[in-house]
Amino acid sequence: TKLQTLLHHGCADMALFQRDIYEEAVSPLLHMTAQWITKGDVADPFSEFFITKNKIDEGSDAFWTSLYDLNNHMLPKTFTEEQATAGLTVGKNIKFMHVCCKAKEWRMLGSIAAAASAATFDSIAGVIQDALHHTNAAVMHMLREQFELPKMFAMARTFFLLAQGDVFDLVVERTAAVLSQPVRTVNVNTVKDQLHSALHDAAPFLDAMARNAIPHVSVNLDHGAGDQPAAECFYLTFPFHAPLNTVFTGTVMTKYKRVFHFLWRVKRAE
């Protein structure tokens, strides 16, 4: 950043001389940026880059949000925060596909990789935008096609938002007796067995995705509620593994749980 200010020296010869020094000095930063936006790698042995890597488990739902951060203190004036944030997203997209989606064979488009390698600080912003559009599209295509994200949303609507209310009429009926007992006395496996029995009987009314999901739908009870009826502490769970746990995070599932509790009470009241 300090070297860049010298490029605006009033003497043309001095400014030209400083530009040669400047270009040599910033070449490692440009190389690190190119590596990041084309391969998702942080090649920063001396902690000079504006993107830092944290220690996060690869299977964690915090992989996307917390593995990499923007270090604004290392951001040169040649980069705006908006450009740096876009660059951060590009590398996170690539790492997400390689690690969470197990798509290690995925490679950046050749034309973008070549432009990144030859980029200057005057042209790198455009390269980052091209890489951002390309990786965003690649991630969404992978989630939709390979991991069937739209079907997962439909499954979540069915089981967590009681989208097929007639099916859950049967669930309410089958589980009424056990869920009327104090939660501390109820065995969660008993509730799970009755839930699955009801869902299997209602399977003809479910779509194929929901039918296939039945064995994986589970039950949880908040046993800390003591003498409350189990029906007030009952909710459904589903094991979303990587990369879907990046979408269905713990925070998202907590919100699904709250909505489920409300809809379950309404269904029982009906």
Side-chain angles (χ1 to χ4, degrees):
T1 298
K2 290 182 178 179
L3 283 174
Q4 189 192 26
T5 61
L6 297 176
L7 299 182
H8 304 290
H9 196 282
C11 174
D13 291 339
M14 181 59 73
L16 183 61
F17 173 70
Q18 295 288 357
R19 174 165 289 279
D20 291 339
I21 297 175
Y22 170 76
E23 289 177 353
E24 286 297 319
V26 301
S27 61
L29 181 56
L30 283 170
H31 174 72
M32 286 187 280
T33 304
Q35 286 287 103
W36 172 249
I37 65 173
T38 58
K39 298 181 180 179
D41 293 335
V42 176
D44 184 21
F46 302 109
S47 301
E48 298 173 308
F49 198 34
F50 54 85
I51 290 171
T52 57
K53 183 177 181 180
N54 303 310
K55 292 183 179 180
I56 298 292
D57 182 72
E58 290 185 358
S60 168
D61 63 10
F63 184 91
W64 170 261
T65 57
S66 303
L67 183 60
Y68 296 100
D69 284 322
L70 195 62
N71 183 357
N72 288 312
H73 294 297
M74 298 302 296
L75 193 62
K77 287 186 177 179
T78 45
F79 271 83
T80 65
E81 188 170 345
E82 182 181 359
Q83 291 168 349
T85 300
L88 174 64
T89 303
V90 172
K92 287 168 69 173
N93 280 344
I94 296 171
K95 190 61 70 174
F96 177 77
M97 289 186 283
H98 285 174
V99 176
C100 296
C101 299
K102 309 298 182 186
K104 296 186 182 297
E105 75 287 351
W106 189 91
R107 295 292 181 271
M108 178 58 73
L109 200 65
S111 59
I112 296 177
S117 297
T120 65
F121 277 121
D122 294 328
S123 63
I124 193 68
V127 179
I128 289 174
Q129 283 302 312
D130 290 342
L132 180 62
H133 294 151
H134 181 61
T135 56
N136 279 347
V139 167
M140 291 309 302
H141 177 78
M142 207 170 285
L143 288 176
R144 288 193 185 108
E145 302 302 323
Q146 186 175 343
F147 296 96
E148 301 184 316
L149 182 60
K151 291 184 179 180
M152 287 297 170
F153 282 132
M155 187 276 298
R157 286 195 299 272
T158 296
F159 292 109
F160 302 141
L161 305 182
L162 311 190
Q164 293 184 254
D166 50 346
V167 169
F168 279 88
D169 287 339
L170 182 59
V171 174
V172 169
E173 180 183 332
R174 292 282 182 86
T175 60
V178 66
L179 290 181
S180 65
Q181 302 172 27
V183 66
R184 59 182 173 78
T185 67
V186 175
N187 187 309
V188 69
N189 290 320
T190 302
V191 183
K192 182 179 177 181
D193 289 343
Q194 293 185 355
L195 169 72
H196 282 181
S197 174
L199 290 176
H200 280 297
D201 287 347
F205 303 101
L206 295 170
D207 59 35
M209 184 73 177
R211 288 197 298 271
N212 293 335
I214 289 174
H216 306 290
V217 176
S218 192
V219 170
N220 217 332
L221 295 171
D222 181 9
H223 283 96
D227 290 327
Q228 283 196 52
E232 295 294 321
C233 317
F234 158 78
Y235 59 96
L236 303 184
T237 63
F238 189 87
F240 291 105
H241 303 295
L244 294 173
N245 63 344
T246 303
V247 178
F248 296 95
T249 63
T251 301
V252 169
M253 297 311 298
T254 297
K255 292 179 180 179
Y256 268 125
K257 174 183 171 182
R258 290 172 60 188
V259 176
F260 176 86
H261 274 162
F262 173 77
L263 296 174
W264 180 251
R265 291 191 187 103
V266 172
K267 179 59 65 177
R268 289 173 57 229
E270 290 177 347

